[in-house]
Amino acid sequence: MNTPGKSKKMQREKWSPAWRPPPQLGPLEAKSVLADTFIPENKKMANLALLQARWKCDTAWVDKANNADYDRFDQDNVIIKLAKNFIPAVQCLCNKGSQNPPPHGDGLYMPTLTHTVNPNYQFALRDNPMFQAAQEKIEPAIVDLDETSSISEYSKMFECSLRLEYEEHLRLYELYSLYHVNIFLVDACPHPDIPGQGNTKKSRTAIVHKKARLFIDGIADARPTLQIGDIVLLRPIPFNGHVHLEIESRIVRVVRGRKTQQHAEPSKDQVIIAWGLNHKQTSDLLLKHSPNKQNLFQISEIKFNVRFIPSSNQLEKCLTALDWLNNVSTRFPRAMDDVLFPVKAPEVKPLSIHQAQRMKQDDSDMNKPLNELQSSFVKMVGARTRDPEFNMVRPPMILTGPAGTGKTKTLLVAISDVLGLMSSGYGNDIDTTRNRVLVCTPSHAAADVITHRLLKFLDHRAIFRLYDKSRPTNTVPATIMPFTCRNAITDDFTLPDSSVWNNFRVIVCTCMDAHILFRAKITNEAIAKRRECFRQYLSSDAQNLGFSIDIPDESIAPYFSHLFVDEAAEASEPEILIPMSVVIDPYPGAKKVEIALIGDPRQLSPLIFSERADKFGLSRSFMERLLKRPVKCLGWGEDHMLGPEAAQDSLFEGGASSLADLIRYYANVDGQELLTIFLCENYRGHSSFLMMPSSLFYFDRLKCKKDSNSQASEFWCSRLRDIEALSNSVECFPIQEAAQNGFIETLNGKPKSQSMGSFSQVHKQKTWPICFMGVKGEDKSVALDSFTGTDSWQNAAEARIVLEIVTSLVDGGVLTSRIGVMAPFRGQVQLIRQYLRSKNFFDVNVGTIENYQGVEQDVIIFSLTRSNPAFVHHDIKHRMGVFGDVRYKQANVALTRAENLFIMIGNPEPMWNDRLWRQFLMFCFRNGLWYGQALDETDMEDMSSRERKMVSTPQEDREGMTTIVSTLEKVQRLN
């Protein structure tokens, strides 16, 4: 028993100012689960210490020393050579003169980026005062891009947004920092300065390493994703605690850890970085920092602090494109107005009846002819090609529509048409042999798909797939490799010799990689001016020899006659400007390029991380802005040919009242469609997959044109019956009430309604391959254990259901390669992938919603992940997940990726509180597609209330008490 004196002493110690009771841990909150990983302050301080030396890792010197022809094939050197030799360089005799700015004079041969950015390596460190200074920096006023026509305001807005986005990347990359870790050298080669390599003991040990490896669990799922070319800073930590050296390297590759037959546990993710320190540097590093002075070749024993800095390469390319835009607008003030700020439809001569009929009958190399709307786009492109413009570049043509409507097929037919490959052809109307197409996409995956499909009808020598040298060759499909050009020494991608470029009819690349053409001066403007110089030179020489030659300058076709940007809704406006800088020649009198944008603005937008950059319009694509820009329609006299003047793009209040307001199908002038086409006939998914997207996202305009295959349909419905057997169906009415409403028996013997007149009643749809599995799981964050940051939520209950469903499908004869699993959080993707690998389901494609943009699978299993309604507000605020009106594009992608079977897994409670997902629940319920966890009794009664009004689109849902039923659903329920 304690004495009173001792008790008083303990009380004094307990409440003394120097001591405080430990804080009580409250319930789980977003701010606590998303806290940074705890790192001791002394480890962080090492990154702030002053340096005595900085070494840059460069593997090029190793390759140059060992290969005499290295410089000959290096992409940067090839770019310089192409810029000089693409058209023979002659003395400039044209009226512009050699002293004028590029493309004349010496500037014509300087293939450099005009805008460079040197990253501040200390920017994101918490003790750096520049961090706070950046927060307080005065930003330009936000300009309404739907109303402005000022190039200056436009450029300032996007330059600011690009820098804000880059600063956000700097901050987020700091979360990936590592402390006191080891690196492992790989890719050894003999030192180039030692003769007789490999013949003596000395030469065998004097080696250099070109790469090093970092093992980092979960880094492959980091958000934002580490990119090839990102900067890596390594500070060796000596045992006396002082740091005097920093090694600067670059990321070469990020490798996801995989489970193998030899290892039961999956390996960690790896970051491969350039090493390339010379022999002396490596020796000095080992002597000063190795704990084992006797073993001078064990770099792996040294501890390093590692930081990642995002490369400024993409920022520089976009800023350079903005510089180009400002330069053009200074020289030719109105040259870009119709491209960026169109105010009227272009005047184009209509096709003759014979031409239109000939194109309508043609089906190119496709198995089936184009439908009416698809043909309209091809005719639109054809009409412009036959009637070129010589003064101003016309407004871009737009082809839009949801997945499965044949946008890519239509694009391919349009390309084959302008190249003169269609059987209808252009006849003798126009020479198509000089037409050349540049096809750009935001992603390499989309560009590879286009290339692969072009190979089916285009001469293989006429296609060139352009890659930047930083792209790893092992990430490129084998079918694409023959259409690339590689360095014979290093196997890096490079550019072909100038002698073969005229053979190319189609060049395919990403929007970012189009900067290679800009640097090499393979642009319409530069080539046109050099042609002019060459023409003047030949004319002068001919006169000196006593004869004359006639070379008409106005009839010379541009090098690129057309620019097609596929998946354009995913690209930011500065990104689109990069290929535009290649194809646009602003000089009056030059034949202008025709531009077309293809994509779906109702699906994913450009991915950005900065909320401030979002306010400046960086997250909205060029296509989406054009579709909403007020335009005076030629012939129609309407004010909004492309969209509402000031309408918020929302599913509910403030949104467009109809699809005709959001996307005007086309400007009809003399029977010709001259600007935009919206495709609405779907050829890919089952009609049940289109019902909710049609009403929620496409204003009830979608039509199902997929060929029916009863045998295939039977197979997938049988697989669905197996999955439904894993759980019980959700009921609404008690059996007694159900009997009074004329219910029939279902597969499991439970009553269902056979009434089709009331959509508050249940009618089991046995032939619809769609299912919702209600699961009341627990979502938790693993941010402290991974690099996925705020995107690190997991739901083990849903992951287990995914595994059960995949197992059932495989047991039923479905190949794992035909199954795709999707989740809105990278943490859940990791967990599901781990579960599936434990059962050797390696070929199941598991990814986030962003990974599935433009990708379809026979089977899609979507794990909602979010189960706790308290975290939904956090998701909306941080633009994560699929809840809230602002995330409807992610929901649209999730609902439209399946071709034959769609299964969604989630907790119905947070879904019921969201107006979009509430409609999905009611859709599943009334059609007998809901299994597993149900809502509470009150919500179930609300769902089946007969007081609900039935409407077709969310814009009619003003009070949240309506049932949205698409025309497709009404028709199918009556069949």
Side-chain angles (χ1 to χ4, degrees):
M1 181 177 294
N2 294 331
T3 61
K6 187 174 181 180
S7 177
K8 290 180 180 179
K9 181 179 179 181
M10 290 180 63
Q11 291 177 4
R12 285 195 300 271
E13 291 177 352
K14 181 176 180 180
W15 298 109
S16 64
W19 188 91
R20 292 288 186 271
Q24 296 295 318
L25 294 178
L28 195 64
E29 296 179 356
K31 63 181 180 181
S32 62
V33 298
L34 302 178
D36 292 340
T37 304
F38 173 74
I39 301 295
E41 193 64 27
N42 64 327
K43 290 186 178 181
K44 287 188 175 182
M45 290 302 294
N47 290 337
L48 296 169
L50 296 177
L51 299 175
Q52 293 180 345
R54 176 188 293 277
W55 294 347
K56 284 193 176 183
C57 291
D58 181 16
T59 60
W61 71 270
V62 182
D63 296 319
K64 289 179 181 179
N66 286 307
N67 301 282
D69 290 335
Y70 176 85
D71 288 336
R72 175 184 166 194
F73 297 101
D74 180 64
Q75 189 179 77
D76 290 333
N77 294 321
V78 172
I79 287 174
I80 295 173
K81 183 179 178 181
L82 273 176
K84 292 182 178 180
N85 301 331
F86 195 79
I87 292 180
V90 296
Q91 182 181 2
C92 185
L93 300 175
C94 69
N95 55 6
K96 296 296 180 183
S98 59
Q99 301 303 315
N100 281 287
H104 293 273
D106 293 337
L108 182 61
Y109 313 113
M110 299 295 289
T112 58
L113 290 172
T114 60
H115 209 126
T116 57
V117 176
N118 296 316
N120 175 12
Y121 294 165
Q122 301 294 92
F123 175 83
L125 295 178
R126 299 186 178 213
D127 294 336
N128 185 2
M130 286 195 66
F131 183 90
Q132 295 298 327
Q135 300 279 357
E136 300 170 0
K137 185 178 178 180
I138 299 177
E139 299 169 355
I142 297 177
V143 177
D144 185 357
L145 294 177
D146 293 333
E147 300 294 338
T148 187
S149 60
S150 168
I151 296 293
S152 175
E153 291 179 343
Y154 177 94
S155 298
K156 288 179 181 178
M157 281 273 291
F158 281 112
E159 181 175 348
C160 177
S161 65
L162 287 168
R163 292 188 179 277
L164 289 172
E165 178 67 6
Y166 183 69
E167 289 172 1
E168 185 63 22
H169 277 244
L170 285 169
R171 286 188 279 268
L172 292 174
Y173 267 46
E174 193 62 32
L175 300 176
Y176 308 156
S177 296
L178 306 171
Y179 301 89
H180 284 219
V181 297
N182 301 104
I183 67 170
F184 303 89
L185 302 186
V186 294
D187 201 3
C189 63
H191 195 287
D193 297 332
I194 298 177
Q197 297 172 4
N199 297 325
T200 66
K201 182 178 179 181
K202 180 179 179 182
S203 65
R204 285 197 300 270
T205 56
I207 59 175
V208 292
H209 291 81
K210 296 173 63 176
K211 298 174 186 175
R213 178 186 291 125
L214 284 162
F215 290 94
I216 313 173
D217 194 22
I219 196 65
D221 290 306
R223 186 177 182 268
T225 306
L226 291 181
Q227 301 289 333
I228 296 170
D230 285 341
I231 300 167
V232 184
L233 302 178
L234 304 103
R235 293 200 176 191
I237 306 299
F239 288 85
N240 58 10
H242 298 288
V243 177
H244 303 288
L245 169 68
E246 186 165 77
I247 302 171
E248 180 181 332
S249 180
R250 296 272 179 170
I251 293 179
V252 175
R253 189 180 172 197
V254 178
V255 182
R256 183 183 300 281
R258 295 188 180 277
K259 178 182 175 182
T260 63
Q261 294 181 353
Q262 292 80 14
H263 302 88
E265 293 297 325
S267 60
K268 290 185 176 182
D269 297 341
Q270 301 176 36
V271 177
I272 310 299
I273 64 175
W275 188 250
L277 296 182
N278 59 43
H279 183 61
K280 182 179 183 304
Q281 289 174 323
T282 303
S283 300
D284 289 347
L285 179 64
L286 289 163
L287 285 170
K288 293 179 180 179
H289 301 282
S290 176
N292 184 0
K293 303 301 181 183
Q294 302 302 318
N295 189 347
L296 301 184
F297 297 97
Q298 290 297 323
I299 294 289
S300 59
E301 294 186 9
I302 301 177
K303 297 292 184 180
F304 290 87
N305 276 8
V306 182
R307 294 177 59 224
F308 297 95
I309 307 294
S311 168
S312 59
N313 188 257
Q314 293 190 3
L315 171 64
E316 291 173 345
K317 295 172 187 176
C318 291
L319 291 177
T320 296
L322 288 172
D323 286 346
W324 165 82
L325 177 63
N326 287 322
N327 178 273
V328 168
S329 65
T330 300
R331 291 182 291 145
F332 305 96
R334 304 300 301 271
M336 295 295 293
D337 285 4
D338 283 351
V339 179
L340 298 179
F341 314 112
V343 294
K344 65 178 182 179
E347 297 184 27
V348 181
K349 293 180 182 177
L351 295 172
S352 67
I353 297 176
H354 175 65
Q355 289 171 333
Q357 185 66 24
R358 194 168 53 186
M359 294 182 68
K360 185 176 182 181
Q361 292 174 349
D362 192 278
D363 62 358
S364 185
D365 71 323
M366 308 299 174
N367 295 326
K368 297 179 182 179
L370 301 179
N371 63 36
E372 183 179 352
L373 288 172
Q374 292 169 337
S375 296
S376 296
F377 179 78
V378 177
K379 288 189 287 185
M380 181 197 307
V381 176
R384 287 196 180 194
T385 304
R386 289 171 173 82
D387 183 26
E389 174 64 38
F390 289 90
N391 292 317
M392 301 277 285
V393 182
R394 292 168 172 145
M397 298 170 281
I398 294 179
L399 177 67
T400 183
T405 53
K407 295 189 297 295
T408 302
K409 173 183 175 179
T410 307
L411 167 61
L412 294 172
V413 175
I415 291 174
S416 66
D417 179 47
V418 301
L419 296 180
L421 303 177
M422 291 175 62
S423 59
S424 62
Y426 283 79
N428 297 320
D429 307 70
I430 188 172
D431 179 16
T432 60
T433 59
R434 305 190 68 176
N435 287 345
R436 186 175 288 104
V437 175
L438 176 62
V439 182
C440 292
T441 66
S443 68
H444 282 290
D448 291 340
V449 168
I450 290 291
T451 304
H452 182 75
R453 296 187 66 174
L454 282 170
L455 299 178
K456 296 179 180 179
F457 61 88
L458 198 62
D459 188 302
H460 290 191
R461 294 171 297 177
I463 304 176
F464 177 52
R465 176 67 172 93
L466 174 64
Y467 288 99
D468 187 81
K469 67 177 182 180
S470 63
R471 184 74 176 172
T473 55
N474 59 2
T475 63
V476 177
T479 55
I480 304 296
M481 291 300 287
F483 311 98
T484 65
C485 183
R486 285 176 288 168
N487 187 321
I489 305 301
T490 64
D491 204 39
D492 295 334
F493 289 109
T494 186
L495 301 178
D497 189 76
S498 58
S499 61
V500 302
W501 281 81
N502 279 336
N503 296 332
F504 300 143
R505 303 294 306 280
V506 180
I507 297 174
V508 185
C509 64
T510 63
C511 294
M512 285 293 177
D513 283 353
H515 86 286
I516 300 172
L517 300 173
F518 182 80
R519 290 184 61 202
K521 301 301 179 184
I522 306 178
T523 68
N524 280 351
E525 180 181 1
I527 292 174
K529 291 302 125 185
R530 294 181 71 172
R531 282 174 175 170
E532 171 68 10
C533 293
F534 195 59
R535 189 183 71 86
Q536 294 282 1
Y537 174 79
L538 292 177
S539 297
S540 175
D541 253 13
Q543 290 177 4
N544 292 337
L545 293 174
F547 65 91
S548 62
I549 58 174
D550 185 19
I551 307 176
D553 51 354
E554 66 273 3
S555 63
I556 296 178
Y559 185 77
F560 293 107
S561 60
H562 295 76
L563 167 65
F564 293 97
V565 183
D566 196 18
E567 302 291 352
E570 292 184 64
S572 67
E573 293 215 30
E575 197 174 349
I576 292 287
L577 287 176
I578 298 173
M580 284 189 182
S581 69
V582 174
V583 301
I584 290 180
D585 181 359
Y587 280 87
K591 187 176 178 181
K592 304 305 179 188
V593 69
E594 296 296 343
I595 301 173
L597 309 177
I598 298 92
D600 183 5
R602 304 295 282 176
Q603 297 207 5
L604 295 186
S605 299
L607 178 63
I608 68 166
F609 294 89
S610 170
E611 292 184 18
R612 293 190 294 165
D614 182 32
K615 295 178 182 178
F616 283 89
L618 192 62
S619 64
R620 186 170 66 163
S621 68
F622 179 48
M623 168 186 274
E624 188 171 1
R625 182 174 69 81
L626 287 186
L627 288 171
K628 295 177 182 177
R629 183 171 176 79
V631 175
K632 182 179 180 181
C633 179
L634 246 179
W636 284 16
E638 297 188 12
D639 294 330
H640 319 308
M641 181 177 64
L642 294 181
E645 215 169 327
Q648 180 184 354
D649 187 15
S650 171
L651 286 178
F652 297 92
E653 290 91 358
S657 60
S658 70
L659 184 61
D661 289 335
L662 178 68
I663 302 174
R664 182 67 65 193
Y665 293 167
Y666 45 80
N668 193 306
V669 182
D670 295 330
Q672 292 301 310
E673 298 80 18
L674 301 176
L675 209 54
T676 63
I677 299 292
F678 175 80
L679 303 180
C680 58
E681 296 181 359
N682 188 285
Y683 296 88
R684 186 174 296 154
H686 190 273
S687 60
S688 61
F689 301 161
L690 306 177
M691 294 173 184
M692 292 311 296
S694 180
S695 283
L696 293 174
F697 313 120
Y698 300 104
F699 300 90
D700 198 30
R701 299 296 181 92
L702 299 190
K703 303 173 184 178
C704 182
K705 295 292 183 177
K706 183 179 180 179
D707 291 338
S708 58
N709 185 327
S710 57
Q711 187 175 359
S713 179
E714 246 178 72
F715 173 80
W716 293 112
C717 288
S718 296
R719 302 291 72 74
L720 182 57
R721 299 290 90 79
D722 297 338
I723 294 168
E724 290 172 343
L726 299 174
S727 182
N728 294 322
S729 62
V730 171
E731 302 297 334
C732 176
F733 301 108
I735 293 178
Q736 293 80 1
E737 182 182 346
Q740 297 173 5
N741 286 280
F743 280 58
I744 62 174
E745 296 292 311
T746 63
L747 291 178
N748 58 5
K750 295 186 179 181
K752 297 290 183 181
S753 170
Q754 62 179 357
S755 171
M756 264 71 78
S758 172
F759 282 85
S760 64
Q761 297 177 353
V762 177
H763 177 68
K764 174 63 180 179
Q765 303 296 337
K766 302 177 183 179
T767 60
W768 294 8
I770 185 171
C771 175
F772 171 69
M773 301 289 287
V775 178
K776 192 169 185 179
E778 179 183 353
D779 42 1
K780 67 174 185 177
S781 172
V782 290
L784 300 181
D785 304 320
S786 70
F787 290 89
T788 51
T790 58
D791 201 17
S792 58
W793 294 95
Q794 294 182 348
N795 190 317
E798 291 188 18
R800 286 191 292 269
I801 295 296
V802 169
L803 179 59
E804 288 184 29
I805 292 173
V806 171
T807 302
S808 174
L809 289 169
V810 173
D811 291 344
V814 180
L815 297 176
T816 53
S817 59
R818 303 180 71 179
I819 303 172
V821 181
M822 189 191 316
F825 299 98
R826 290 186 181 272
Q828 184 71 351
V829 167
Q830 284 181 300
L831 183 63
I832 292 173
R833 192 179 286 132
Q834 178 183 339
Y835 276 37
L836 293 176
R837 286 176 180 173
S838 68
K839 299 297 183 181
N840 295 320
F841 296 142
F842 293 104
D843 291 335
V844 176
N845 186 16
V846 187
T848 63
I849 294 174
E850 289 75 15
N851 298 143
Y852 269 92
Q853 174 74 349
V855 177
E856 287 80 31
Q857 296 254 195
D858 284 303
V859 181
I860 287 292
I861 305 169
F862 178 51
S863 172
L864 187 67
T865 309
R866 176 63 68 224
S867 187
N868 188 341
F871 289 126
V872 171
H873 177 71
H874 169 270
D875 291 350
I876 296 173
K877 180 180 178 181
H878 292 84
R879 295 177 298 159
M880 298 163 50
V882 290
F883 287 103
D885 286 357
V886 296
R887 300 293 288 178
Y888 76 87
K889 293 184 178 183
Q890 284 70 19
N892 188 12
V893 173
L895 292 173
T896 55
R897 298 302 97 188
E899 292 190 15
N900 291 301
L901 181 59
F902 178 67
I903 302 158
M904 181 171 176
I905 306 169
N907 185 349
E909 183 181 354
M911 295 174 69
W912 183 250
N913 296 325
D914 183 272
R915 290 200 289 183
L916 186 154
W917 292 111
R918 181 188 308 159
Q919 295 297 334
F920 180 78
L921 288 178
M922 289 193 286
F923 165 79
C924 291
F925 172 75
R926 63 179 172 262
N927 293 298
L929 308 173
W930 184 347
Y931 288 75
Q933 180 70 36
L935 292 166
D936 60 38
E937 186 176 347
T938 302
D939 290 335
M940 294 301 290
E941 290 178 359
D942 183 21
M943 177 182 296
S944 58
S945 172
R946 298 177 184 272
E947 297 178 1
R948 285 185 169 273
K949 178 184 176 183
M950 189 175 70
V951 297
S952 298
T953 65
Q955 285 66 41
E956 303 170 74
D957 181 17
R958 299 301 181 186
E959 300 177 358
M961 280 297 294
T962 59
T963 298
I964 299 176
V965 183
S966 69
T967 301
L968 275 173
E969 184 180 353
K970 296 173 187 175
V971 172
Q972 290 296 318
R973 280 177 64 106
L974 291 172
N975 290 337

